Every structure is written in C-alpha cells, then in structure tokens.
Amino acid sequence: MSDYVTLLKESGLKATFQRLHILEVIDKYGHITIEAIYEEVRKVHPSLSVATIYKNIIIMVENSVLVEVPIVGNKSKYELAKRDHMHLICTECGEVEDRPCSAGTDEIFAFLTQQEHFKLTKQQINLYGICSHCQEAAAS
Amino acid sequence: MSDYVTLLKESGLKATFQRLHILEVIDKYGHITIEAIYEEVRKVHPSLSVATIYKNIIIMVENSVLVEVPIVGNKSKYELAKRDHMHLICTECGEVEDRPCSAGTDEIFAFLTQQEHFKLTKQQINLYGICSHCQEAAAS
DNA sequence: CTTCATGCAAATAATTTGCAGTAAG
DNA sequence: CTTACTGCAAATTATTTGCATGAAG
C-alpha cells in the first residue's frame, strides 16, 4: 500500500511517518474529520500532535493529495484525491459515500462553463439525505 | 420587502427586529458569512451581539428559512432558502453566484435516488473556478 | 549537510452556553 | 401574561503560530 511515498514525493513533500500514517487512516475510512484522524492516529502514535495533523492536512490539500469535503451542519471531512465523483451524505449517521458522476453531468457542466465564461477547476456535487441503512433503522 | 415577518411567523419564529435585519442583510448580499453579517448589521444596530447572530442563523437554518453553503477552504456562507440551484464559487474573489440547475440533472438525481434507495432531501452542486471578472483582472 | 517537518506550548479565533432582563404575540 | 429572544460575559472548542529539536533526502 505504501505508494503514498511516491505520491508524496511527486508532490514535493517529504514522506514522513506521520504523513503516511495520516494517509492510511484517511484511506481506511474514506472520508474523515480532522478530529477523528487525530483520535485514530494517536492510537498507534500517541505523541503525534494535533498541530502536525492540521499542518499536514493543509499542505496536502494545497498539493492536491487530499480534498476537503465541506458538509452542511458539520465539520469538513477529507478524502484522498481521486477522479470526480458525487457524495451521498447521510444526515442521520454522517456517513459519506462516493458515487461516479452520472454520464451527462460532464456535458452539462462543460456547457455551463463555456456559456458563463467561468473557468471551472473543481466540482462538488453533494446529495444529502437518509441512507438505506438509517431508513431501515428508523422503520423498526 | 418585509414579508419576512410572514415567513418567520409561518416558521414558528418570532419576528424580531434583529431577525428581520439579518434577513435583509442576507438578501442584500445573496451569500454571506456570519462574520460579515455581524459587521454589516452592527452598522445599524451596534448593540446586536454575535451570540444573537449565531443563535438566529442556527434556528433559521433548522426551520428552513436559511440554507448553509459550506465552501472549500473558507467559512460557510448563508443564503435565503429558495428552489434548487447551483453555485458558481470563485476561488479568487470568493463570490458565489446562483444558477438554475440545468435541465436533466433532476432526472439523473431521481434515478440515482431510486437505484440507491437513498432518500434525497437536499442537493448542493458547487462549481469552483475563476469567475470572468477575476479572469479579466488577471489578464492585465 | 541542508532543508523541511515535528511537537510542544502559548496565542488567537470561532462558537456555545447560562442567565437576567426585554420584547413579541 | 407567557413564552421566546436578546445581550453580555464567561466557557469551550477549534485552529494557528513560533520555535527548538529531529528526521528525510
């Protein structure tokens, strides 16, 4: 799994134990808050400081290793950078799941971009609702 | 303009001077941060406290009078609740503009919802990029 | 070696809370 | 009247910063 080393170096960042550990935790959970990363990471590496997490999240977002997913009514979560996708965000349990962008949205956006003279750099499509799991739980 | 009184009452909230004032500021700016609301509002009503702004934003979001628009790398902005639309968010100047959801996206989402058994309650489509104004400014 | 990253503690910023006083309906 | 709202100050939480030490390349 540790080709995070390559990823970091290609981004001009040193591959420290702390960064690799943070990346592994994010990968494991898919989408995770800073606070949760901190709690998870310090199980293995108790001396790792919050300041280090903040500094690293910021620099890894700047270098497009990570992506911030801001969430209505909650703290932002972070995910590994990957090709465009949508988020299904459950407002009950807070889980975030990725889904491919439906065919067609690309064209719509491309059109909008040209018509608007808006230089698109990033899109975030976030669908909020109740996941099937929480719906089942509510039905009992 | 002050049919915010009706809006608030229908939502079960008292129509205080402070709330009306906050709503007018949000309407005037379209999309605005809590901090900016505070600065704007205290020009007219210097004794209005930040705590009041926070409490009111929270309760008006809960009652669907307002909508939070979380923004990557920045504080959330708030807007009056209105029918679904997209946001064009300029990463240079921070401006947010509304655009109608392109025809077609509704169907895509409806389909996804059924297929996923995900009970959709809200969608946020945020397109980040550089607005035409900032592109021109950069070209000089 | 040299540069960049870490960890700590302190500083700052953001948000929340409790409560006594006030205004809305 | 009665309930909900405001404003203040204090408490809490979140984030940032500076700097001496340590690790990566």
Side-chain angles (χ1 to χ4, degrees):
Chain A
M1 272 299 115
S2 252
D3 238 358
Y4 293 136
V5 175
T6 313
L7 175 59
L8 288 170
K9 287 186 184 166
E10 283 174 355
S11 305
L13 301 173
K14 286 187 177 175
T16 63
F17 174 75
Q18 290 85 340
R19 283 179 186 158
L20 294 172
H21 199 350
I22 291 171
L23 289 173
E24 274 161 22
V25 168
I26 295 176
D27 187 32
K28 178 178 171 191
Y29 287 91
H31 308 82
I32 185 170
T33 62
I34 289 188
E35 189 186 15
I37 294 170
Y38 181 53
E39 281 164 16
E40 188 67 18
V41 135
R42 71 193 334 245
K43 287 181 188 166
V44 174
H45 189 314
S47 68
L48 203 160
S49 72
V50 228
T52 297
I53 307 230
Y54 276 100
K55 287 170 184 167
N56 279 321
I57 295 292
I58 291 168
I59 204 173
M60 289 194 284
V61 168
E62 280 173 359
N63 287 280
S64 303
V65 173
L66 298 180
V67 171
E68 179 188 352
V69 183
I71 296 178
V72 167
N74 278 99
K75 304 251 197 68
S76 288
K77 294 191 172 187
Y78 295 84
E79 65 183 2
L80 299 176
K82 48 204 165 197
R83 73 168 169 289
D84 278 333
H85 57 276
M86 304 176 165
H87 295 123
L88 300 186
I89 302 170
C90 182
T91 51
E92 297 291 314
C93 65
E95 275 309 299
V96 180
E97 295 192 25
D98 295 341
R99 289 292 180 278
C101 277
S102 310
T105 54
D106 287 348
E107 285 86 342
I108 293 168
F109 292 140
F111 176 70
L112 196 97
T113 303
Q114 291 179 348
Q115 198 178 44
E116 296 287 348
H117 303 293
F118 184 84
K119 192 170 168 186
L120 185 68
T121 54
K122 167 168 43 190
Q123 38 176 281
Q124 286 211 347
I125 303 182
N126 296 328
L127 306 182
Y128 293 83
I130 304 176
C131 70
S132 55
H133 185 261
C134 286
Q135 285 177 58
E136 284 165 21
S140 60
Chain B
M1 273 302 114
S2 253
D3 238 357
Y4 291 136
V5 175
T6 313
L7 175 59
L8 287 170
K9 287 187 183 164
E10 283 174 356
S11 305
L13 301 174
K14 288 187 175 174
T16 63
F17 174 75
Q18 290 84 341
R19 281 179 188 159
L20 294 172
H21 198 351
I22 291 171
L23 289 174
E24 275 160 22
V25 169
I26 295 176
D27 188 30
K28 177 177 172 193
Y29 287 91
H31 308 82
I32 184 170
T33 62
I34 289 188
E35 188 185 15
I37 294 171
Y38 181 54
E39 282 165 16
E40 189 66 20
V41 136
R42 70 192 335 243
K43 288 180 189 166
V44 174
H45 190 315
S47 68
L48 203 160
S49 72
V50 229
T52 297
I53 307 230
Y54 275 101
K55 286 170 186 168
N56 279 320
I57 295 292
I58 291 168
I59 205 174
M60 292 194 284
V61 168
E62 278 173 1
N63 288 279
S64 303
V65 173
L66 298 180
V67 171
E68 179 188 352
V69 184
I71 296 179
V72 167
N74 280 98
K75 303 250 197 68
S76 287
K77 293 190 172 186
Y78 295 84
E79 64 183 2
L80 299 175
K82 48 205 166 198
R83 71 168 172 290
D84 278 334
H85 57 276
M86 305 176 164
H87 295 122
L88 300 187
I89 302 170
C90 180
T91 51
E92 297 291 315
C93 65
E95 275 311 298
V96 180
E97 295 192 25
D98 294 341
R99 287 293 179 279
C101 276
S102 311
T105 55
D106 287 347
E107 286 87 342
I108 292 168
F109 291 140
F111 175 71
L112 196 95
T113 303
Q114 290 179 348
Q115 198 178 45
E116 296 286 349
H117 304 293
F118 184 83
K119 193 171 169 186
L120 186 67
T121 54
K122 169 169 41 190
Q123 39 175 279
Q124 287 210 348
I125 304 183
N126 297 328
L127 306 183
Y128 294 82
I130 305 177
C131 69
S132 56
H133 185 261
C134 287
Q135 285 177 57
E136 284 164 22
S140 59

